[in-house]
Amino acid sequence: MKQELNLKEISQWELYKSRPLTICGPCSAESEQQVMETAIELAKLKKVDIFRAGIWKPRTRPNSFEGVGREGLKWLRDVKKETGMPTAVEVANASHVNDALKFGVDVLWIGARTSANPFAMQEIADALNGVDSMVFIKNPVNPELNLWIGAIERVAKAGISKIGAIHRGFSAYEHIQYRNQPKWLLPIELKRAIPKIPLLCDPSHIGGAKEYLFELSQKAMDLNYDGLMVESHINPEVALSDREQQITPVQLNDLLNKLVLRDSVSNNLAFSDTLGELRTQIDLYDSQLLELIEQRMFVVKTIGKYKKENNITILQSSRWEEVMQKAVLQGELKGLSKEFINSLYKAVHQESINHQNRVMNS
Ligand code: PEP
Ligand code: MN
């Protein structure tokens, strides 16, 4: 219980001057020239808060470019001197943390492959003890909320107060439109567990291709995220990693200019009144929905009793198929998507089976 309290106390530290906080720069530091040229162009935009570059690259397969290592930390130190932008690197073990801090890196982030590994997270947390840097924790590659919370918890317990989370999507086995599945509900659940944690979106690693960056960034802004981490390279075509998803500083400027930023609260009284009324209606419908489902479950339990008395199985596939088909057709007429009806009915069906199971085995 105490741990949960700790997390709720993570406060919205002074994160940024204006929303969104932007952490931008190349996927990887490749050469002194590439790093400096990219940084100078990004600094000119006056929209990038923190300059990022990967120094140690966790690659899925060996023999890919695995980063320039410590050498790159000097380039980042020069970037800070030249442009004034604070710098950020990814750290995956204690020696990365120590090296990065030695070279004056301001912001550390923990990648998706590392946050999935509690041993690595603990090693990093121990190395962070007593340090006063900003630390961002990306979601683990697998969609497990508690693993993400656990990684944050380890860093918080090391005494780091400026902690943020980065949503970069989750690995997918099947081929999907994006490189990673966004699963927007997970970061929303994270905010429910740790309400004040600053949340950034990484559209580059979710999308995996330039053309998706804007729609993903806009969605993050509409969901009230605090910031964005976007990969930007002076010459993406020759990038040594994540070539398809990197954009030039000029393209980044366009993307940031195009974003529509909406307020999460309003001072306009008439607006708040109307919104309040509409929300009351939503609350009413929501409670009716639950009452209906409750009534459905009463009937389900009665059927369960009959099945038990007559020694019939709970699941009857043909009946279930029929219910689902009817619902999809009816849903379509009401403007509800097939995907929605499918997942709604699967959930209702599963709950019904659970109820019947209890009746049958009582
Ligand atoms: C990166 O930011 O370049 C990176 C490797 O990200 P992720 O950990 O999200 O894959
Ligand atoms: Mn990358």
Side-chain angles (χ1 to χ4, degrees), residues 301-356:
K301 281 190 272 190
T302 310
I303 295 181
K305 276 191 212 127
Y306 273 120
K307 285 184 182 165
K308 186 179 180 178
E309 283 161 18
N310 292 286
N311 221 11
I312 301 284
T313 57
I314 292 181
L315 182 69
Q316 270 130 11
S317 312
S318 55
R319 161 75 183 151
W320 168 231
E321 194 53 42
E322 193 188 308
V323 169
M324 185 66 116
Q325 274 177 12
K326 212 162 77 185
V328 167
L329 282 177
Q330 226 179 341
E332 258 168 15
L333 293 175
K334 296 181 191 306
L336 303 170
S337 74
K338 193 175 169 185
E339 293 73 34
F340 169 68
I341 298 289
N342 254 312
S343 39
L344 176 70
Y345 270 67
K346 268 189 200 150
V348 170
H349 189 230
Q350 185 57 55
E351 185 68 7
S352 305
I353 290 179
N354 295 348
H355 276 265
Q356 286 199 348

Side-chain angles (χ1 to χ4, degrees), residues 273-293:
D273 272 1
T274 313
L275 189 66
E277 275 170 32
L278 292 169
R279 283 188 170 155
T280 309
Q281 286 182 31
I282 296 255
D283 291 348
L284 266 173
Y285 284 123
D286 280 351
S287 66
Q288 283 180 25
L289 246 159
L290 290 182
E291 276 166 28
L292 276 175
I293 293 176

Side-chain angles (χ1 to χ4, degrees), residues 180-214:
N180 285 294
Q181 297 171 292
K183 293 195 180 288
W184 296 96
L185 269 179
L186 258 120
I188 291 172
E189 284 299 310
L190 180 80
K191 280 293 265 198
R192 238 158 49 100
I194 317 175
K196 290 182 182 155
I197 196 165
L199 176 63
L200 272 58
C201 178
D202 172 347
S204 307
H205 290 89
I206 295 179
K210 294 182 198 30
E211 66 255 41
Y212 302 131
L213 297 182
F214 176 74

Side-chain angles (χ1 to χ4, degrees), residues 97-112:
V97 172
N98 296 332
D99 283 347
L101 295 174
K102 210 181 299 160
F103 280 85
V105 171
D106 307 273
V107 177
L108 305 176
W109 88 82
I110 293 154

Side-chain angles (χ1 to χ4, degrees), residues 26-28 52 57 138 179 204-205 231 241-242 245-246:
C27 177
S28 305
R52 66 151 276 162
K57 300 303 297 177
K138 288 198 173 191
R179 174 176 173 185
S204 307
H205 290 89
E231 288 186 340
S241 59
D242 289 351
Q245 71 197 33
Q246 301 205 60

Side-chain angles (χ1 to χ4, degrees), residues 225-239:
Y225 280 47
D226 299 283
L228 297 169
M229 179 185 253
V230 186
E231 288 186 340
S232 174
H233 189 292
I234 192 73
N235 189 0
E237 287 90 80
V238 298

Side-chain angles (χ1 to χ4, degrees), residues 13-22 46-50 84-86 134 226:
W13 36 280
E14 260 310 306
L15 179 68
Y16 45 78
K17 292 179 210 79
S18 65
R19 194 171 154 260
L21 169 84
T22 48
K46 302 212 181 305
K47 289 190 184 93
V48 174
D49 298 302
I50 298 166
M85 282 190 291
M134 282 187 202
D226 299 283

